[in-house]
Every structure is written in C-alpha cells, then in structure tokens.
C-alpha cells in the first residue's frame, strides 16, 4: 500500500481513459447471455456454476484475498529441483511433475507427494515480514530464504518457497481473478455481482501495484541458471496466461470501479485514478510487453496474439500507443517481427504453416496453433476480420482430422503424445467456434458428439448452426501425403479395421526428435511400432530428454556411428497410394551429412484382406562404421526365432562396463551428477539407456514376435488378447539384439518397453535392412518370408502365406535397370508387387515406374517414369502446363508429381488431366512463403521484406500478387532473385493491386523439372 501512494502522484499525469462501457462483454454479448438464460437450462446451470465458483473466493476476507498476490521480492520456480525431493528424490516426480501439495491457508509451505513431509523448515512468512532481513528466522534443517535451500552434501539447491510462490499465483490468484470476474458479469443478484466486482478489482489493483516490478530473470530459479530468460511473474511463455484473465476481468469490473468506495479508500485512489492505475500499470505494461517484442510476454505461436486481441477489446484504447487498433494490426500483420512467433497472423499462415495446413512443430504443439489461432479468430470476426474464410486457416483447422490415422491415432512424433499415440484432437469448444463461420462436417461431428462441452453463455446456441450441416462421412481407408510437413500415411482395410503405415520424412524443427525416416505402424486398434513421444519434461536439465527420448536410437530408424541424426533436408522419392500394394519412399542423407552417401527408406504396404496387411520395409544405409537399426515395440513380450542368447548381466547397450544412464560418450557430462547440467549439447548414442540385452545372429531370416500384454490400470481401453506383431528380419551379417528401453515414468505407462535392434559393423559399411511387418490377430498368417536374389541395387522378398498364396515384392534403387528376381520373375520397376495363387496364377500385380513385370507367362507392361518440363503454372486455378505432351498412360488422380527430384522434397498431386499438356492439381495451395515487398534493390536484383520464410528454398519460383513469375530465389543474401531472361528487377514487378505490394514463393514454377510417375496394375 505504501507503494501505491507514491504511484498515485505519477498517475495524476495520465490521460483519462477513452473507455465508456464494457467492450469485451459488449451489449450484444450480454443480450445473448439473457436469451440463453431464458431459453436454455444448460445456460442457467452454467451461470449457477459460475456464481458458485465466484462465491467460493468471495468467502475470503479482503485481506486474505489480497495475500494471494505475492510481491516480486519472493522468487518463483515451477520446479523445486529436476530430481525431485531432497529426501525421496525422483519418487516425488512419479505420476507427473508439479504435484507438490500447496494450500493458500498455509502460505509458503509445500508438501512432498512421495512422503508427505512439509518444506521449508522455517516460517518464510515471518522472514518476509522482516523485510527478508532477519536471518535468525531461517530455522531448521531445510531453511529457505526464498532463493532455495542448499543441500550441504551436494551443493544442489531446492526451491521450496519459490515453488509455492509460482504455483499459488497460478493456481489460486489466476482463477480467483477469472472466476470473480465472470461472477460479476453473470450473477443475477446485483449486490452479489458488486461484491464479486469489488473483490476482483482488489486483486487487479494489488497485482497492478507490483506488475512492472516483476522481472523473472532476476527473481526466479530459471533466471539463476539462464539469466536471459525473461518473463514477469512466470517465464515469458506462461506469462501470456495472465493477460487474458486480467483483460477480461478489467472489462468485467469496469462499471463498478467508480462506485467502489471501499477499494478507493484502501488504494488511496479515486475511481478515475483507480481505472487509470489498472490500465497503466497492468494492462498497458502487458500490451507493451507483447508488442515491443522484448520477450517478457511471448508464448508459443498464437498465444500472445490471442491475448493481445482480448487486451485490445477490453482496453478500447484510442489515445496512447499502442492503441487497440495498433494491437489488432500487430496481430494481423506485425510490421517488425523480432522473432518468428511475433509474425502477423496473415504472414504466419503463409510462412510458418506448411501449405498442407500443418504448422512446423510436433503434432501436439501444432494443435496449440489451432487452439490459439481460434482464440485470435473468434473475437476478430466481431471487428470485421474473418480469418475463417482464409483457405489456409481452414486447412489449419482441419489437419487434426487428416493426421488421425487408422481411425483413432495421431503419430506421436517429436514432443507429442505417448507410445499409445492417442489422438491429437480438436476440442468441442474450438470446433463450435469455428463451425459457426466454417461449416465443415467434421467440425460439426465433434460438437455433436459432446454437445455439453461446447456451450458458450455469450454465443448463440450451437444447435441452430448444426442443424444445417450434413453428417461427416464414415472414414474408410484413405492414404494421404503431407508434402510440406513431410509425412506419408498409407492406409488399408475397411472402416473399423484399418492398418496404417506412417513414414515420417519431415524436417520441421520445433519440438522435434532426431527421428527422420521414422516408421510407425498402427493395426488392430493398437500402436504397434511406437514412439515415446513427449518427454517427461522439455527441460534441458532432464538427462533423458536428450539422452534417449529425442535421440535417434529411441526411434524406428537407423543410428549411424553411435551418433544422433542432424536435421537435414529430405526428399520424397515415391508415393503410390492406391491398390493392394501401396508405396512410400523417401531419403534423408542430410541426417548424417558427410557420413553417409545413402540413407533411404522404402515402405510397401500390401493388403490381402481387410484383416491382413503387411509392410515390406527396406532401409538402405551406405557409409559409416556402425549401423544400428531400431524399432520400439508396444507394451508386449518379445520373443525370437532363432532363440535369443542369455541376458547380458552387466552394463548396457553401450557396453558391459557402461552402467545405466551414464553419459559415457560425453566427457563434459560423464561424471556430473544427473540433473545438474544441461544436456542440450549431447551428441552421443543414448545406448546407455538400453538394458536386458539378448542377442542372436541373423543368418538369412529370423522372426521376432511382439505379443501384446494386458493394459495396465489407467491405460485407455484397447484390444490386446491374441494380438501381436511379427517382424520377419531378412539378411546376413547382422546381430539381432532384443532389449528394454525406458519410457516416461508415468503410472499408466509400462516401466520398460521392448526394443528390437539390428547391428552391423565394418569399414565404409553398406547395409540393407529388410523387414516384413506382420500384424496379426489370433494366429500369424505368413508362413515364411525370404529374400530373393535381385542384384546389388535391389531388394526382393518372397512371402508365403499359410493359405498357400505367395507374394513377391521388389524394390530397386535403379529403376530402369532390368532385374532377374529369383527363378522366374523379371522387372525394371522402382517397386513391384505380385500376388500369386497356390497354382501360380497371378491374382494381382503392381508395377511402379517400370516397363516390365513378368513371372512365367504373366506380363505387366508400363511406360516407366518420365521427366517433363513445366512450361507455365496458373497459380489461381492451380494448373500446370507441360512443355511437351504427356506420354500415355497419363498419371491418375492422386498420383504425385515429384518436383525437381534432384533437389527438393516437394511434390504436387494430380487432380485430373485436362488435356495432354494441362494438369489440374489437387493441392489447395502452391505457396510456401511470402510477404510484403518493402523495397526493391534493382542493382542486386534484391527484394527486401520484413520477415522470414523458413520453408522457402533456393531455386523456388518467386511470384507477384497476380501470380506472375518473377524469377527464382538465388543463393546468397535473401532475397536475391535470379531473373534469367526477365531483365532487372524493378518495383513494377510487384504491382500493388490491393494497396500492398506482396510476393510469394511457389513450390513449382515454369522451367521446373517434374517426374511423371507411372503405375501399371493388374487384377484378375
Ligand atoms: Zn519427499
Ligand atoms: Zn520421438
């Protein structure tokens, strides 16, 4: 309160607010509230619940409430220590982090979730009352002066008081503000509403009196480790969470401020000054924190944009910068983004969201984009900016449906999900907001499924909107390609019994793991080839995050030379999504630059019946001295034929003398106590995390079987009895290793999961890891799988089924070269599949990019892949014109044209052939970047813009707002444009048709080479 008095002097100089009414809870919103209350029982129930929540806080006295605001002199920490409790260690982290007990009736005390004991040993409240000066009050064994108790044995600090300060502000103060505010808006009793408003305003005033003085980097545990980590009460990401509740609360209590004499007395401010105090100290500080880009309040993409829209609406600021109009402009088209996450929404949709609608992070974090941008879009509609009509925003809203594979899973790539790959799904709230403006049947289906979850007191009732939207179609198998995100999903079976093989070849860089060419498999309602997913913490001090979970060896790919992958560029090399034998193929030599000359995976998914689909998987690696092929199984028992040897009794995969979790291959980390240093720089193998090793030698063929075991308590229901996955391992000179790896220490997860490895060593090693994955129910259906001879650059597999049928599957690195496969088969295709009846007649056949597939008297002819040059692109209608007629047969709808296969990973998909030279594309959008043209430097053919386009690559075509090509992006200083025959670059190249000059980068343009694929198929 002393602080407030001298602040009042400062505030006399402030202008009077322009706000004259509630501007978030507008008259329209309040009228909709009244209508809903009159008509709907659910609305009255929601209102009553909101009043009850507010009334609970309202039972506290003003002094008790005010004490929920902890001043900046008390440090904050979201974690006591990485390794848990000083007494119980990591046992305190079992079942999740941040589970220490706190209670605002017992300030500054926390209770260990493992042992129930209380820390610190001193009464910190008394020490605080002494001005944090009387150190005689720091009594007992675990005394904490706010900056943590130091363990005399290890020197490690444990932050008890700071943990309380952080979590009590988050768990008590933040909801108290939000719930009292909503109570003030909806309470039917005017006296009760006024009391809620008074108490809420009291909290806002207390918080405002401190707010500019919260400086996270100087007042936190994180700040001691990383002094440039900004924020205020909390770190800069979580800080965003304060903005919306405070902005809406300010709007909620605003009509009461001038009559609140109790608060005016307590604060020493009259109504006007109190209003100005809240605006200046709290809201304007927040607005400047965001718009200045200084990193005090910056969330994941869309979080601070959504918060700023709420701030703009609540403040209705017309005088002082940033005005509310400035804030909206910043959200849509920030002219000076300091970092990518500050980019305006319209530019971010073009540059940070891939053209397939998926943002550039792990699926879980990408869902955050949808949630956050929905919160930006919804209020913007009210000010006349309708993002829901933007095509890429529509794709952003719907990718979670497309990324749901086998009916119910989302690949747990990067920091996302867990080994069971539960769906990354849109909430009914997001869908309800969106479907009012964008009537997609899949959005409507989510709302219909849980109508109660999408209720909004201030919006029109959703039933009226849903009545006009048709039902979503039941999903059958649908293979799909995400050409920007770098994900190929092969699906087969029928609705209710789908198999999906997922090949990840993306190079997105946020919350990623070192997992390029990861292969996941889903069948029989289970994730069978798994990914650990989200680590226990995304904290660099957690040894397992970088030691194992983001490391290459934890993924279904190949580790070269006991090192993790880099994140290199990748190429898509085949995409064939139709028929009984589908194909996806990609390479990622950039994952091991300078170490490998070939790093490529081809996956052929063969469907024999809805219940019987197998994957023939070929992984080629050339270069290096050691190759470790790995797969992570699901919760299961792993056995092998031939039988595995005895369990290695000592050590780990890193060696019999390397103990579990020792960072043996990093001298800087090796001898440090776990959890005391950052592991962000670790570039070792992670092999120290694998134990229980049993070995066998692969001599031709082996069969490893993962038999599913019963779900543990807390796991989602899923079938398991009689289900399994067999991996037929083909090859020579490989050591098979079955072992156990660790997953997150959560109660519902198994403590260990089986891993299957194949190891090869040698000089300048050449490996082809060939596997047939056979998901089965009750009994296996493959009798045996064997490699056939096919030549150096090719792999051929013969698969005998228990019913007498036979499959021959071929993959070649050199399409066009004639191969003799086994006894009687010939082909020159990139991929080929033959399905033979017991009498040798051909049931089905598939030939990709070849001229011949023959077996005995059977012959299937194709034209082979051909290259073609693009003469022109119509970017508006999304059509390609080829320089020469397309040879027949023409590519079928769904076929992928690989663009400049020698360089980029991009592909476009055929919708239809219009005529022999014109191809209509199925791609919704051909742009992968773009922005405003700030100026043109004619001398260097340079275009100057204000933002980054991380997905644009040299050689791509630059177009203007009319879709007219202006040259290609050249190497060197961005954005230098190679103009070819077009003459010097001038401002006229980018006309300002809609008032702003803009450019875009297109993934295909005139002069590009494309591959016209060829598919020949036969069905008896
Ligand atoms: Zn404990
Ligand atoms: Zn992963």
């Amino acid at each position: 309160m002393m602080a407030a008095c001298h602040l009042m002097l400062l505030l006399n100089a402030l202008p009077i607010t322009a706000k004259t009414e509630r501007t978030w809870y507008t008259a329209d919103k309040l009228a909709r509230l009244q209508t809903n209350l009159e008509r709907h029982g659910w609305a009255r129930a929601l209102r009553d619940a909101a009043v009850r929540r507010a009334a609970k806080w309202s039972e506290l006295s003003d002094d008790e409430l005010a004490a929920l605001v902890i001043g900046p002199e008390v440090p904050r920490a979201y974690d006591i220590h990485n390794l848990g409790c000083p007494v119980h260690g990591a046992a305190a982290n079992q079942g999740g982090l941040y589970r220490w007990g706190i209670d605002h009736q017992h300030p500054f005390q926390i209770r260990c979730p493992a042992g129930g004991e209380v820390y610190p040993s001193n009464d910190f409240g008394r020490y605080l009352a002494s001005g944090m000066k009387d150190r005689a009050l720091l009594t007992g064994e675990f005394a904490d002066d706010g900056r943590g108790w130091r363990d005399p044995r290890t020197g490690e600090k444990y932050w008890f008081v700071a943990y309380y300060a952080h979590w009590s502000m988050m768990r008590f103060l933040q909801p108290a503000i939000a719930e009292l505010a909503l109570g003030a808006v909806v309470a039917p009793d005017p006296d009760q509403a006024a009391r809620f408003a008074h108490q809420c305003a009291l909290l806002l005033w207390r918080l405002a009196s401190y707010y500019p003085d919260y400086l996270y980097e100087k007042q936190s545990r994180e700040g001691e480790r990383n002094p440039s980590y900004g924020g205020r009460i909390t770190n800069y990401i979580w800080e965003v969470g304060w903005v919306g509740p405070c902005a809406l609360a300010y709007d909620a209590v605003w009509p009461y401020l001038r009559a609140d004499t109790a608060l005016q007395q307590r604060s020493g401010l009259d109504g006007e000054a109190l209003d100005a105090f809240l605006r200046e100290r709290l809201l304007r500080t927040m607005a400047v924190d965001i718009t200045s880009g200084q990193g005090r309040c910056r969330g994941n993409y869309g979080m601070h944009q959504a918060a700023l829209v709420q701030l703009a609406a609540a403040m209705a600021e017309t005088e002082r910068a940033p005005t509310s109009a400035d804030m909206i402009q910043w959200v849509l088209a920030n002219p000076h983004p300091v970092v990518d996450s500050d980019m305006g929404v319209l530019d971010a949709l073009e540059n940070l969201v891939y053209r397939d609608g998926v943002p550039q992070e792990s699926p879980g974090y990408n869902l955050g984009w949808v949630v956050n941008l929905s919160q930006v879009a919804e209020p913007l509609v009210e000010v006349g900016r309708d993002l829901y009509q933007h095509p890429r925003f529509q794709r952003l809203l719907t990718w979670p449906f497309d990324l749901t594979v086998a009916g119910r899973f989302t690949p747990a790539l990067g920091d996302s999900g867990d080994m069971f790959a539960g769906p990354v799904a849109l909430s009914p709230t997001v869908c309800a907001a969106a479907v009012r403006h964008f009537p997609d049947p899949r959005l409507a289906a989510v709302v219909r499924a849980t109508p109660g979850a999408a209720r909004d007191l201030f919006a029109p009732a959703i039933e009226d909107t849903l009545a006009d939207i048709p039902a979503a179609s039941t999903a059958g198998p649908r293979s799909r390609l995400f050409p920007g995100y770098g994900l190929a999903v092969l699906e087969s079976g029928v609705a209710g019994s789908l198999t999906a093989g997922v090949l990840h070849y993306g190079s997105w860089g946020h919350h990623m793991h070192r997992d390029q060419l990861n292969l996941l498999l889903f069948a029989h309602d289970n994730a069978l080839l798994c990914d650990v997913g989200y680590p226990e913490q995304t904290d660099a001090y957690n040894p397992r995050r970088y030691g194992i979970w983001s490391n290459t060896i934890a993924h279904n790919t190949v580790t070269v030379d006991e090192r993790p992958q880099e994140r290199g560029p990748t190429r898509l090399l085949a995409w064939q999504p139709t028929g009984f034998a589908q194909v996806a193929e990609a390479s990622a030599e950039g994952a091991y630059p300078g170490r490998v000359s070939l790093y490529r995976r081809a996956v052929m998914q063969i469907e024999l019946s809805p219940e019987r689909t197998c994957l023939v998987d070929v992984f080629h690696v050339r270069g290096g001295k050691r190759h470790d092929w790995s797969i992570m199984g699901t919760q299961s028992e792993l056995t092998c034929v031939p039988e595995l040897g005895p369990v290695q009794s000592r050590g780990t995969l890193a060696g019999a003398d390397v103990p579990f979790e020792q960072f043996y291959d990093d001298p800087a980390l090796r001898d440090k106590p776990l959890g005391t240093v950052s592991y962000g720089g670790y570039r070792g193998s992670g092999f120290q995390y694998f134990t229980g090793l049993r070995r066998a030698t692969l001599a031709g063929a082996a069969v490893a079987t993962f038999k599913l075991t019963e779900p543990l308590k807390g796991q989602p229901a899923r079938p398991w009895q009689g289900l399994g996955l067999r991996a037929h391992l083909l090859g020579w000179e490989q050591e098979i290793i079955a072992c156990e790896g660790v997953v997150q220490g959560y109660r519902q997860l198994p403590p260990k999961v089986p891993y299957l490895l194949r190891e090869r060593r040698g000089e300048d090693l050449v490996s082809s890891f060939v596997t047939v994955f056979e998901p089965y129910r009750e009994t296996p259906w493959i009798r045996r799988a064997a490699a056939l001879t096919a030549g150096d650059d090719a792999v051929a597999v013969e698969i005998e089924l228990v019913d007498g049928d036979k499959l021959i599957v071929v993959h070649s690195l050199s399409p066009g070269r004639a191969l003799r496969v086994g006894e009687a088969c010939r082909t020159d295709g990139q991929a080929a599949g033959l399905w033979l009846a017991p009498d040798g007649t051909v049931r089905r056949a598939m030939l990709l990019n070849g001229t011949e597939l023959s077996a005995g008297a059977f012959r299937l002819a194709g034209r082979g892949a051909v290259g073609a040059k693009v003469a022109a692109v119509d970017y508006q209608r999304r059509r390609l014109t080829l320089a020469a007629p397309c040879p027949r047969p023409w590519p079928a709808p769904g076929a992928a044209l690989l663009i400049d296969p020698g360089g980029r990973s991009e592909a476009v998909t055929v919708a239809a052939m219009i005529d022999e030279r014109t191809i209509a594309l199925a791609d919704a959008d051909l742009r992968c970047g773009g922005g405003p043209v700030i100026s043109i430097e004619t001398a260097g053919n340079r275009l100057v813009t204000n933002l980054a386009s991380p997905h644009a690559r040299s050689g791509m075509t630059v177009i203007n707002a009319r879709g007219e090509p202006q040259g290609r992006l050249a190497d060197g200083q961005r954005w230098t444009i190679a103009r070819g025959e077009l003459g010097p670059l001038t401002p006229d190249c980018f006309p300002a048709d809609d008032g702003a000059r803009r450019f875009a980068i297109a993934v295909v343009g005139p002069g590009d080479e494309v591959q016209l694929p060829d598919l020949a198929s036969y069905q008896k």
Side-chain angles (χ1 to χ4, degrees):
M1 273 212 278
M2 268 167 28
C5 291
H6 78 252
L7 280 167
M8 198 176 76
L9 299 172
L10 285 172
L11 285 164
N12 287 338
L14 290 177
I16 289 171
T17 166
K19 188 175 168 88
T20 57
E21 58 188 344
R22 275 180 175 157
T23 44
W24 175 267
Y25 294 106
T26 57
D28 278 357
K29 276 199 187 124
L30 295 178
R32 291 199 290 263
L33 168 68
Q34 283 313 317
T35 307
N36 286 333
L37 289 173
E38 283 158 23
R39 289 189 192 159
H40 302 293
W42 60 259
R44 294 186 290 276
L46 278 185
R47 188 259 326 262
D48 294 347
V51 171
R52 276 197 303 276
R53 283 196 299 273
K56 201 182 68 184
W57 294 114
S58 193
E59 285 166 10
L60 299 183
S61 70
D62 279 11
D63 286 341
E64 287 171 323
L65 270 175
L68 296 181
V69 185
I70 296 172
E73 67 273 27
V74 182
R76 280 82 65 198
Y78 59 82
D79 210 357
I80 294 151
H81 187 280
N82 308 66
L83 297 185
C85 172
V87 173
H88 300 96
N93 290 343
Q94 290 282 313
L97 300 167
Y98 320 140
R99 289 173 56 250
W100 290 71
I102 58 168
D103 165 5
H104 59 78
Q105 308 289 1
H106 299 95
F108 304 113
Q109 292 188 358
I110 65 171
R111 188 177 293 276
C112 172
E117 76 280 13
V118 170
Y119 300 93
S121 52
N122 57 313
D123 179 345
F124 179 80
R126 284 188 67 201
Y127 177 68
L128 180 62
S130 80
M132 296 175 75
K133 290 202 172 70
D134 186 355
R135 299 192 71 83
L137 295 168
L138 302 175
T139 54
E141 192 186 352
F142 296 100
D144 182 352
D145 65 357
R147 291 227 157 242
W149 165 78
R150 193 180 288 282
D151 185 337
R153 290 164 306 160
T154 62
E156 291 294 307
K157 272 169 70 165
Y158 292 77
W159 296 64
F160 312 121
V161 167
Y163 183 93
Y164 177 85
H166 173 102
W167 287 110
S168 81
M169 296 275 274
M170 298 273 286
R171 291 195 189 139
F172 307 135
L173 177 61
Q174 209 177 85
I177 290 172
E179 291 170 6
L180 284 167
L182 186 60
V185 175
V186 303
D189 171 359
D191 292 340
Q192 194 182 30
R195 174 162 172 77
F196 292 159
H198 160 73
Q199 291 175 307
C200 183
L202 167 72
L203 293 176
L204 291 177
W205 163 71
R206 283 286 289 187
L207 194 59
S209 65
Y210 293 130
Y211 197 72
D213 304 321
Y214 289 113
L215 301 169
Y216 193 69
E217 69 281 10
K218 292 191 170 69
Q219 303 159 353
S220 66
R221 171 176 180 257
E222 194 66 43
E224 276 197 7
R225 301 192 296 176
N226 180 359
S228 62
Y229 203 113
R232 287 203 182 271
I233 300 168
T234 44
N235 64 69
Y236 63 83
I237 297 177
W238 291 4
E239 193 63 26
V240 181
W242 291 94
V243 178
C246 289
L248 271 52
Y250 166 72
D251 193 57
V253 305
W254 187 86
Y256 297 91
L257 289 177
R258 281 155 186 79
D260 190 345
T261 49
L263 182 54
Q264 289 171 19
Q265 269 178 13
R266 190 182 181 107
S267 65
L269 299 166
D270 68 16
E272 286 300 319
L274 183 59
D275 188 0
F277 188 84
L278 300 186
R279 293 175 71 85
E280 178 67 17
R281 302 269 307 171
L282 188 60
L283 304 186
R284 191 163 177 283
T285 301
M286 290 172 162
V288 171
D289 280 351
I290 296 174
T291 55
S292 66
Q294 64 189 205
R296 288 219 174 273
C297 185
R298 175 190 287 146
N300 299 339
Y301 194 87
M303 283 168 63
H304 44 300
Q305 284 85 356
L308 196 61
V309 172
Q310 295 183 321
L311 209 46
M315 289 184 77
E317 177 62 60
T318 55
E319 303 292 325
R320 301 191 67 203
T323 65
S324 291
D326 293 340
M327 296 182 217
I328 299 293
Q329 182 63 19
W330 191 92
V331 167
L332 286 171
N334 178 9
H336 305 294
V338 177
V339 293
D340 283 358
S341 61
D342 281 359
M343 201 182 281
V345 171
L346 295 172
D347 292 320
L349 283 172
E350 200 162 328
N351 290 289
L352 306 183
V353 174
Y354 287 108
R355 65 193 183 90
D356 44 35
V358 188
Q360 53 187 5
E361 307 195 45
S362 65
Y365 280 90
N366 281 341
L367 185 70
W369 286 63
V370 189
V371 174
N372 298 336
L373 284 177
S374 295
Q375 284 171 7
V376 175
E378 178 68 3
L380 280 179
V381 175
E382 311 230 343
V383 296
R385 300 302 295 260
D386 190 350
L387 283 176
Y388 291 102
Q389 305 316 313
H390 192 296
R392 198 171 290 182
F393 188 68
Q394 293 176 352
R395 291 183 72 80
L396 176 77
L397 278 169
T398 51
W399 68 258
F401 300 112
D402 295 326
L403 204 58
T404 303
V405 305
R408 53 180 286 192
F409 303 99
T410 301
L413 297 168
D415 295 339
S416 182
D418 64 26
M419 58 181 288
F420 298 113
V424 166
L426 292 176
S427 72
T429 315
V430 167
C431 293
V435 82
R436 290 191 169 93
H437 312 284
F438 171 46
D440 185 282
R442 294 175 294 178
L443 294 168
V446 174
V447 184
R448 286 194 188 102
T450 37
R455 302 295 188 196
D456 180 348
L457 280 173
F458 301 98
I462 194 73
E463 286 78 3
D464 303 340
T465 307
L466 294 180
D468 300 332
I469 304 173
S473 62
T474 327
R478 196 167 56 88
S479 295
R480 57 250 189 224
L481 180 69
F482 297 85
Y485 195 52
L487 199 71
V489 179
L490 299 173
E491 235 176 41
S492 51
V494 294
S497 177
L498 294 168
T499 297
V502 178
L503 177 60
H504 159 56
Y505 67 96
S507 49
W508 43 272
H510 299 263
H511 286 283
M512 59 84 175
H513 294 174
R514 297 169 179 279
D515 61 350
Q516 286 179 317
L517 303 190
N518 196 6
L519 174 67
L520 303 174
L521 171 61
F522 305 87
H524 300 299
D525 277 331
N526 274 276
L528 296 177
L529 292 180
C530 301
D531 192 307
V532 162
Y534 202 96
E536 276 171 2
Q537 294 164 297
T538 53
D539 179 326
Y541 281 61
N542 182 317
R544 298 183 182 187
R545 179 185 183 191
Y546 294 114
I548 173 168
W549 291 323
S550 71
N551 212 330
T552 304
I553 188 66
H555 293 89
N556 311 326
T557 182
V558 175
T559 296
V560 177
D561 291 350
E562 301 166 70
R563 294 178 56 85
Q565 296 176 352
E566 305 295 326
R567 194 69 162 179
T570 57
R571 291 158 62 191
L572 180 69
L573 291 156
W575 172 244
Q576 195 300 89
T578 59
F580 88 106
Q582 306 183 35
V583 186
E585 180 177 348
S587 74
E589 283 77 24
Y592 285 106
R595 216 170 270 273
V596 298
S597 58
L598 185 71
Y599 193 76
R600 184 195 287 213
R601 186 166 220 161
V603 179
M604 286 154 285
Q605 181 159 324
I606 316 288
E607 179 187 13
L608 301 159
S609 76
E611 283 273 298
R612 292 182 173 183
T613 290
C614 64
L615 266 59
V616 178
D617 170 38
V618 182
F619 204 132
H620 292 283
V621 187
R622 292 182 185 171
K625 295 186 169 73
R626 177 167 173 181
H627 298 163
D628 286 88
W629 175 97
S630 52
I631 55 170
M632 176 189 172
T634 189
Q635 186 176 308
S636 55
E637 279 166 11
L638 173 56
T639 55
C640 189
V641 177
E643 207 153 308
L644 299 159
V647 175
Q648 176 182 315
S649 59
R650 290 174 52 239
T652 57
L653 179 61
D657 51 349
V658 177
F660 180 74
E661 207 159 25
Q662 186 197 65
F663 282 71
Y664 71 104
D665 50 359
D666 189 324
L669 302 174
R670 188 193 153 100
D671 300 319
K672 296 275 177 9
L674 285 173
T676 60
V677 284
S678 169
Y679 296 84
Y682 181 56
R683 296 290 181 272
S685 71
F687 290 3
Q688 67 272 27
Y689 281 97
F690 294 85
T691 54
L693 281 73
R694 294 170 294 158
R695 298 166 194 266
T697 300
L698 179 58
V703 181
T705 304
F706 297 86
K707 250 180 136 168
L708 269 60
T709 50
E710 188 172 2
L712 304 174
K713 223 175 141 195
Q715 287 181 2
R718 56 187 162 80
W720 65 278
Q721 278 170 311
L723 296 184
L725 172 69
R726 297 210 302 170
H728 302 260
L729 315 176
L730 307 182
W732 298 89
E733 295 170 1
Q734 301 177 18
E735 183 161 50
I736 301 169
I737 303 171
C739 57
E740 291 173 325
V742 288
V743 297
Q744 304 90 326
Y746 299 143
R747 215 174 288 145
Q748 76 278 14
L749 296 178
K752 303 256 177 159
V753 289
Y755 270 80
L756 182 65
L757 315 177
R758 288 145 96 175
E759 184 190 308
R760 299 193 74 234
R761 296 170 193 250
E763 286 300 313
D764 208 4
L765 207 50
V766 175
S767 299
S768 301
F769 295 101
V770 181
T771 317
V772 179
F773 290 108
E774 174 201 5
Y776 69 89
R777 183 193 300 278
E778 302 304 339
T779 51
W781 49 276
I782 291 179
R783 180 180 294 145
R784 71 180 268 280
L788 296 174
T789 54
D792 285 350
D793 268 2
V795 166
V797 178
E798 182 179 68
I799 301 169
E800 291 173 22
L801 309 185
V802 289
D803 60 12
D805 279 10
K806 197 183 342 174
L807 288 168
I808 294 173
V809 179
V810 186
H811 176 264
S812 170
L813 291 170
S814 307
R817 187 202 288 183
L819 303 173
R820 174 177 284 281
V821 177
E823 298 294 298
C825 181
R826 296 174 61 86
T827 187
D828 63 352
Q830 182 171 358
L834 265 178
W835 178 2
L836 304 160
D839 65 2
T841 57
V842 175
R843 294 186 192 277
R844 294 195 188 187
M846 182 282 295
L847 172 63
L848 178 69
N849 295 335
T851 63
E852 182 194 7
L853 171 62
S854 60
F858 174 82
R859 187 165 189 279
L860 180 63
R863 71 149 155 75
V866 293
K869 185 169 260 200
V870 175
V873 182
D874 180 337
Y875 291 98
Q876 259 78 41
R877 296 162 78 193
R878 300 186 305 279
R879 289 182 172 183
L880 292 189
T881 304
L882 302 178
C886 178
R888 288 186 182 263
W890 292 346
L897 310 185
L898 307 182
I899 300 161
D900 188 5
R904 307 194 290 263
S905 77
E906 273 290 354
V908 292
T909 302
V910 175
M913 294 293 297
I914 307 288
D915 58 43
E916 62 180 14
R917 289 178 44 171
T918 314
I919 306 172
L921 299 177
D923 303 63
D925 199 337
L926 298 173
R927 293 167 306 155
C928 68
V933 178
I934 306 287
S935 64
I936 295 292
E937 293 174 7
T938 300
N941 280 341
R942 266 192 79 226
L943 176 161
V944 179
T945 186
N946 60 356
L947 35 88
S949 287
H951 310 151
R953 303 216 184 97
S954 296
M956 285 183 171
T957 297
V958 182
I959 59 175
N960 63 22
R962 295 176 182 168
E964 296 161 345
Q966 298 303 322
R968 290 175 185 275
L969 274 186
D971 287 329
Q973 200 181 6
R974 284 216 161 176
W975 303 88
T976 306
I977 300 177
R979 292 277 288 165
E981 319 269 281
L982 293 167
L985 196 68
T986 68
D988 294 340
C989 296
F990 295 93
D993 286 347
D994 304 331
R997 297 174 192 279
R998 284 189 75 85
F999 74 100
I1001 310 294
V1003 297
V1004 62
D1008 279 346
E1009 295 286 338
V1010 296
Q1011 184 207 63
L1012 301 171
D1014 177 45
L1015 176 68
S1017 50
Y1018 167 84
Q1019 183 168 358
K1020 193 179 172 187

